[in-house]
Amino acid sequence: MTKPTIAGRTPIPTQLEAGKTYYFCTCGLSQNQPFCDSSHRDSDFSPKAFAVDESKAYYLCACKQSADLPFCDGTHSTLDASQ
Ligand code: FES
């Protein structure tokens, strides 16, 4: 499978509402980061639907390499400039 495009190298602080369904961009091509704008069309990627239990700000992954998508797990700090 192809690797996602790195949309950013720092997480995106995002206010989320409990119980609402969000669609996280996994391809990295969306112009509406961190959410899907259908730019994944013609790719191997599809958006990740998710919801949260608590309304608050969350740090969502922009590098698309987190092992805990859609949330940042710090992986962005291990990427070198060539990635
Ligand atoms: S922005 Fe992707 S792991 Fe932090």
Side-chain angles (χ1 to χ4, degrees):
M1 187 167 168
T2 44
K3 290 191 112 186
T5 296
I6 295 173
R9 291 174 180 272
T10 55
I12 303 168
T14 308
Q15 183 70 33
L16 301 176
E17 291 176 37
K20 184 174 174 182
T21 300
Y22 295 95
Y23 294 90
F24 176 77
C25 167
T26 61
C27 69
L29 298 175
S30 173
Q31 296 301 303
N32 186 36
Q33 293 296 332
F35 302 114
C36 175
D37 72 353
S38 298
S39 293
H40 61 275
R41 266 187 313 254
D42 305 325
S43 79
D44 296 336
F45 295 94
S46 54
K48 179 180 178 68
F50 74 102
V52 295
D53 292 334
E54 187 181 348
S55 297
K56 65 176 188 175
Y58 292 82
Y59 287 92
L60 300 186
C61 175
C63 73
K64 311 301 178 183
Q65 321 270 327
S66 170
D68 188 30
L69 290 176
F71 305 104
C72 172
D73 72 351
T75 298
H76 64 272
S77 63
T78 68
L79 302 176
D80 65 39
S82 67
Q83 291 178 295

